[in-house]
Amino acid sequence: MAPYVFAAVGLGFLTIFAHIILRGLQRRRDFLWYRQLFSYRKLNLSRKQVLETYPFYTYLSNAYKKQFEHRVAAFIADKDFKNRYKGAVTDEQVVLISCVACRLNFGRRNYLNSMLQTVLLFPEAFMSPTNKALHKGEFNPLAKVLAISWKDFKEGMDITTDNLHLGIHEFTHVMHFESDHSSGIDAARFKKFTNKILKELMKPEVRSKLDTTRFFRNYAFTNQYEFMAVLSEYYFESNADFKNEFPLIYDHFTKALLYKEEWIME
């Protein structure tokens, strides 16, 4: 039995050593060397039926569908979904909101948005306590709460040609905040390429083209956080045009998300 024991121990040490090397390479060269190795979570029947209405899920290959369902189920289990007023949160609301978050985070290892704890649903635009103005969405990092108007979230998801997607926009804010307050590899990557994009915007020829084409809506230029959130909307709803008009910014953003071309819906 002794040779088998030694072999098992040796294999264990070899596995650990290989894991350390791959993680080191991943940090230096920034790639995802595995996504999900063992068990996959599954949604119950009613939630799976909602998942199957989500276009991004139906677009994926079978292997990626399995991974996406796992991530959606894990995201749901990790978050607290609440209605601001009376009534239970529906399966449609829980699943579709989680789908949007997981679609945005699909290239990342840490896809659970650890700095987000609660998703608070309003039936429509709500009065923000911070500035007493109507908001469709708002992320409070101190409370770890993302407030969302369900009406506007659903409209943004259903209309795919206007570059207005509330869910993508707000979850990009969550991602951006994490990049400023986390040392994880995904946060570091997002921060690195956000800075590259902001430097690109300082070039006179890029500014001139932005002013001439008016490709991105004016709200993008409110501040760097809104700019990155608006880029996300255009990335997912006008991907080919974005790539054609501003290829370097597009490339930086793709790397910020570690996104694959095969996940882009045409």
Side-chain angles (χ1 to χ4, degrees):
M1 289 295 292
Y4 295 104
V5 173
F6 284 124
V9 171
L11 182 60
F13 277 116
L14 185 62
T15 301
I16 293 170
F17 185 63
H19 179 82
I20 292 171
I21 290 175
L22 285 168
R23 287 302 297 269
L25 285 172
Q26 179 184 308
R27 284 194 168 274
R28 286 197 297 273
R29 299 186 182 179
D30 198 15
F31 66 95
L32 195 61
W33 68 273
Y34 76 84
R35 297 172 62 82
Q36 180 69 18
L37 287 181
F38 304 112
S39 62
Y40 290 84
R41 293 193 183 195
K42 293 184 179 295
L43 296 168
N44 64 33
L45 180 59
S46 62
R47 290 180 173 179
K48 182 64 177 286
Q49 288 173 337
V50 177
L51 175 68
E52 289 173 344
T53 69
Y54 189 60
F56 179 71
Y57 172 78
T58 62
Y59 182 82
L60 294 171
S61 67
N62 288 335
Y64 282 129
K65 280 180 180 177
K66 192 175 182 181
Q67 293 179 20
F68 190 75
E69 180 180 358
H70 166 83
R71 289 186 170 211
V72 169
F75 192 90
I76 291 171
D78 190 66
K79 305 306 174 197
D80 189 12
F81 293 83
K82 295 180 178 180
N83 261 330
R84 176 62 179 84
Y85 303 112
K86 291 181 180 179
V89 178
T90 67
D91 281 342
E92 180 188 32
Q93 291 172 326
V94 169
V95 173
L96 291 183
I97 289 170
S98 301
C99 280
V100 170
C102 291
R103 181 186 182 187
L104 179 66
N105 287 321
F106 203 45
R108 296 156 62 98
R109 179 181 301 285
N110 298 315
Y111 58 90
L112 290 177
N113 295 129
S114 59
M115 293 186 177
L116 171 64
Q117 196 169 64
T118 302
V119 178
L120 184 63
L121 289 169
F122 289 77
E124 55 189 13
F126 51 90
M127 188 72 70
S128 169
T130 58
N131 58 10
K132 305 303 180 184
L134 281 178
H135 284 210
K136 297 177 182 179
E138 185 176 53
F139 176 52
N140 183 333
L142 293 178
K144 295 187 174 183
V145 173
L146 176 61
I148 291 179
S149 158
W150 174 247
K151 174 180 176 292
D152 294 288
F153 173 90
K154 194 68 168 57
E155 186 176 281
M157 199 184 73
D158 291 341
I159 301 172
T160 61
T161 57
D162 60 359
N163 300 311
L164 294 169
H165 194 307
L166 179 64
I168 290 291
H169 188 103
E170 293 302 325
F171 278 110
T172 303
H173 282 322
V174 176
M175 184 185 291
H176 200 159
F177 180 83
E178 287 182 347
S179 77
D180 288 337
H181 297 83
S182 172
S183 59
I185 187 171
D186 293 306
R189 180 192 311 111
F190 192 85
K191 186 170 187 175
K192 172 184 174 181
F193 287 102
T194 294
N195 289 336
K196 285 180 179 289
I197 289 170
L198 296 177
K199 287 180 181 178
E200 184 68 10
L201 295 180
M202 300 302 292
K203 295 179 180 178
E205 64 273 20
V206 176
R207 294 295 305 182
S208 177
K209 186 172 182 180
L210 286 167
D211 292 339
T212 302
T213 62
R214 298 286 178 182
F215 182 72
F216 301 112
R217 67 179 186 273
N218 288 337
Y219 188 66
F221 303 99
T222 305
N223 55 53
Q224 63 169 295
Y225 297 95
E226 298 303 341
F227 187 79
M228 295 301 291
V230 170
L231 281 195
S232 282
E233 295 172 285
Y234 280 74
Y235 187 84
F236 288 102
E237 295 203 345
S238 293
N239 186 273
D241 290 338
F242 181 2
K243 187 176 184 179
N244 182 61
E245 290 288 342
F246 296 95
L248 187 55
I249 293 177
Y250 176 92
D251 183 61
H252 289 331
F253 197 77
T254 298
K255 290 175 180 175
L257 299 180
L258 207 62
Y259 229 70
K260 294 181 180 291
E261 286 291 330
E262 64 192 289
W263 301 337
I264 300 297
M265 295 175 60
E266 300 296 337

